[in-house]
Amino acid sequence: MPAEANLFTNGKIFLSGVRPGTNAGLNRQPTFAESMVIWGDKIELIGSDSDVAAAAAKHDIVHLRNLDGKTVLPGFVDAHMHLMLLGQSLNKLDIGKCKTLADIQNRIRTYAAAHPDVPRILCRGYMHSMTAPAHVTAVDLDGLDDGREKSRPILIDSKDLHSSWCNTAAIEELGAANWVDVPGGVIERDDEGKPTGVFTEAANITYVWPFLSSVASMDQRTAAIQAAVSAYHRAGYTGLIDMAMDEESWAALQALRADGSIPIRIAAYWLIRPLHSDADNVAQVNRAIELAGQYNAMTTPDCRVVGIKVICDGIIDACTAGLSEPYAHNDHVEVPLWTFEQLEPVVRRANEAGLQVALHAIGDATIKMVVDVLTAHASPDRRPRVEHLELASEADAARLGQAGITASINPVHADPAILRAWPKLLGEQRCGRAFAYREFADGGAPLALGSDAPTAPHTPLGNVYVATTRKSYREPEMQTAVNPRFALGLCEAIAAGTQGAAYSCFDDHRIGALENGHKADFVVVEMEWDQEKLMEARVAETWYDGAKVWSAPEK
């Protein structure tokens, strides 16, 4: 049976892609085509009404799609997210709007009473500022599961996923009393050496994440992935890049693939945890190399392993980001979780095997170190990338483009609603260097926009709103703008969330832009082309591989 064609007319087909590494500037104006015809899973032709109508007429069956003035954008690709964690987070109690410890306790107590059958009370969205200056422990969560002979485990993810906070029952279930310290991580302990219920950085990644994966059944893991994919379709995504892939998540993906296709394009970076020797660290890279040999652009182009990810420092809010000068409030200098010498063999081995290298770096000292190591040991043609880049110096911002390093950025982390503690932690002067996206673009660095979900809202248009206005998506009533001189233009921000993200994982030859012959991955949006009005934009339809996978309910 011949494939049926779909003819889209009476809309605005966005053509203003910005080639990665091109400085489009703040004021580039969009270009739109009149019509588009797709046939099967490909875009056959984009152009004028007459040319596209003539191409469509060659097909026996043509469905006319009247866009009614809506805008068609390339399907968004989330350049940095965590698929399994996002799916699981959708069923966790959100405490993100709590302001105090009492707020958190009351919300958990209410949830526990309303959900007597769940085996664990899992929460998300904790920020250190909610309980500052007090230092939380398990005791603060004990006694919230009222009316039970034995309290259930309570585990809370920090908003950034860099730490976990749990009650005494969870400490026991985790077996944390027997955990040994790991490089780059902290198991907070009391004077007797017993865990107090807070696990940060590598300790959280090494122990807590695997535990939560292990107690989830395969059905629960696959259901989490499916829920995340559905949420992404609603938001307008047709592709994603998972930035912390591990064995449990990969097994769940393969189980889903065995039952049929997963209707979203997935590129995975294998998480390399800091272990006690170079040999142990490189062994993890070898596992990524093995998987990439089986699952790659030739064998499984829509679910593949493309590189490795190393978390090289922590975050500003927890005072674990690597800074060149002390934190303003305590005079501490936190060092990166990995040293240059530890990273060298890992980056060198991955690059030699043809894998991409993605390095998480937030503080200026860490950013300098990872740019140094990528410049020394990663080939520009492998498109190395740095994730987050929240506090880069002017010199290192310029070095990104010079070295062909992709700036993988998360504008939703620049939301002023979540930066209230920064002036105290950094001082006003250093805050003036925060999220220097304009400098990255002006220096010729390829840009890729990601959400870092579930640490932040995953809506791509919200991400673009913060990137272009530097205002709050979380609290739209706020008038604060964070370093507006570093804003991106609307065309380049949309391109960074589509073509730039596809480029960052070597998929720009077939997705990320509306071009003849590309995959028919796109989103239909009701919007005005004005960054100040993006909060009013509405995703109407999401199309993947030439098929509509989501449409908004009728108004």
Side-chain angles (χ1 to χ4, degrees):
M1 181 177 179
E4 301 176 4
N6 285 282
L7 173 59
F8 294 82
T9 63
N10 192 26
K12 294 180 289 187
I13 317 295
F14 178 67
L15 298 181
S16 296
V18 178
R19 297 292 173 184
T22 301
N23 180 14
L26 282 171
N27 301 313
R28 177 165 174 168
Q29 294 302 301
T31 301
F32 298 105
E34 296 176 319
S35 297
M36 174 176 71
V37 63
I38 64 173
W39 185 53
D41 64 350
K42 299 280 179 55
I43 297 171
E44 184 174 29
L45 185 65
I46 297 174
S48 66
D49 285 336
S50 57
D51 288 345
V52 173
K58 299 175 184 177
H59 298 287
D60 294 332
I61 303 173
V62 179
H63 298 286
L64 181 63
R65 310 280 182 177
N66 187 341
L67 292 167
D68 293 321
K70 299 182 185 71
T71 299
V72 177
L73 302 174
F76 285 95
V77 179
D78 194 332
H80 182 126
M81 61 85 67
H82 306 280
L83 182 59
M84 177 74 76
L85 293 174
L86 172 61
Q88 291 173 329
S89 76
L90 297 175
N91 290 320
K92 292 183 179 181
L93 173 65
D94 186 1
I95 62 170
K97 293 186 178 181
C98 294
K99 304 295 185 184
T100 66
L101 176 60
D103 288 346
I104 295 170
Q105 292 170 329
N106 289 335
R107 185 150 173 75
I108 293 174
R109 187 179 288 111
T110 300
Y111 177 89
H115 297 81
D117 297 327
V118 298
R120 296 169 197 86
I121 298 170
L122 304 178
C123 311
R124 61 184 171 92
Y126 169 67
M127 294 182 65
H128 299 82
S129 59
M130 295 173 182
T131 53
H135 197 75
V136 297
T137 69
V139 173
D140 296 305
L141 301 176
D142 291 340
L144 302 181
D145 197 12
D146 296 335
R148 302 176 72 94
E149 181 177 344
K150 181 177 175 56
S151 176
R152 287 169 290 181
I154 300 173
L155 294 101
I156 302 177
D157 295 332
S158 63
K159 180 187 69 65
D160 46 68
L161 299 180
H162 280 247
S163 63
S164 293
W165 167 29
C166 67
N167 67 349
T168 299
I171 293 174
E172 294 173 358
E173 186 179 45
L174 288 164
N178 298 318
W179 290 351
V180 298
D181 293 335
V182 293
V186 176
I187 301 169
E188 295 192 6
R189 304 179 189 273
D190 61 20
D191 293 340
E192 297 178 357
K194 297 178 181 178
T196 65
V198 177
F199 313 104
T200 62
E201 303 302 344
N204 186 42
I205 296 167
T206 301
Y207 292 122
V208 181
W209 286 12
F211 170 81
L212 291 174
S213 291
S214 71
V215 296
S217 67
M218 179 61 78
D219 286 345
Q220 289 172 326
R221 281 183 270 160
T222 55
I225 291 173
Q226 290 171 318
V229 171
S230 294
Y232 264 40
H233 285 164
R234 292 194 296 274
Y237 289 107
T238 56
L240 60 88
I241 298 174
D242 188 294
M243 268 294 163
M245 186 57 64
D246 59 15
E247 297 288 357
E248 290 79 13
S249 297
W250 190 252
L253 279 173
Q254 300 320 304
L256 284 173
R257 286 186 61 247
D259 289 338
S261 65
I262 306 170
I264 201 162
R265 307 194 195 282
I266 300 172
Y269 289 73
W270 202 255
L271 181 61
I272 308 299
R273 297 178 171 91
L275 299 180
H276 290 279
S277 70
D278 289 348
D280 290 337
N281 292 335
V282 170
Q284 297 176 80
V285 181
N286 289 336
R287 174 59 173 155
I289 295 168
E290 176 188 3
L291 289 170
Q294 296 176 258
Y295 305 95
N296 53 61
M298 298 298 295
T299 58
T300 57
D302 296 323
C303 188
R304 59 202 170 96
V305 173
V306 298
I308 63 165
K309 157 78 174 303
V310 184
I311 301 174
C312 298
D313 70 348
I315 60 167
I316 300 294
D317 293 273
C319 301
T320 52
L323 300 183
S324 59
E325 298 179 9
Y327 282 89
H329 72 300
N330 62 11
D331 210 34
H332 289 180
V333 176
E334 299 297 333
V335 298
L337 303 179
W338 290 69
T339 66
F340 182 97
E341 291 73 23
Q342 289 170 320
L343 279 174
E344 274 189 301
V346 168
V347 172
R348 190 164 50 233
R349 175 66 179 127
N351 188 71
E352 290 170 352
L355 294 187
Q356 288 185 272
V357 177
L359 302 180
H360 162 125
I362 285 179
D364 61 340
T366 310
I367 291 170
K368 180 182 185 305
M369 180 191 68
V370 301
V371 173
D372 286 345
V373 77
L374 290 176
T375 301
H377 299 295
S379 305
D381 61 1
R382 293 308 314 154
R383 301 182 186 175
R385 47 192 291 166
V386 180
E387 311 301 309
H388 308 307
L389 290 158
E390 293 189 1
L391 200 67
S393 69
E394 186 174 0
D396 289 323
R399 292 172 66 203
L400 296 171
Q402 294 166 6
I405 296 171
T406 294
S408 175
I409 55 178
N410 316 118
V412 278
H413 286 327
D415 191 312
I418 60 172
L419 302 179
R420 292 183 173 99
W422 279 42
K424 176 184 176 182
L425 301 177
L426 296 175
E428 293 286 353
Q429 182 176 355
R430 274 190 292 182
C431 287
R433 289 293 316 159
F435 309 101
Y437 302 156
R438 180 77 265 143
E439 290 183 357
F440 305 159
D442 289 348
L447 301 179
L449 254 64
S451 72
D452 200 18
T455 72
H458 60 261
T459 55
L461 292 174
N463 212 355
V464 171
Y465 174 78
V466 181
T468 55
T469 67
R470 310 289 288 204
K471 297 178 183 178
S472 179
Y473 172 77
R474 294 170 182 261
E475 299 180 20
E477 67 278 7
M478 288 188 70
Q479 296 303 306
T480 306
V482 176
N483 297 337
R485 72 186 186 281
F486 291 147
L488 299 178
L490 185 50
C491 276
E492 67 183 346
I494 292 285
T498 53
Q499 191 169 6
Y503 168 91
S504 75
C505 65
F506 281 93
D507 222 7
D508 52 315
H509 63 287
R510 63 183 190 133
I511 65 170
L514 299 176
E515 296 181 7
N516 299 342
H518 273 214
K519 286 285 191 177
D521 295 357
F522 57 91
V523 58
V524 180
V525 185
E526 296 177 359
M527 66 179 293
E528 290 187 51
W529 196 265
D530 180 345
Q531 56 261 41
E532 296 290 345
K533 296 183 178 180
L534 284 173
M535 296 289 286
E536 303 166 18
R538 175 177 174 268
V539 174
E541 295 177 359
T542 302
W543 288 67
Y544 169 83
D545 242 8
K548 184 164 57 176
V549 293
W550 188 79
S551 60
E554 294 292 332
K555 293 182 179 179

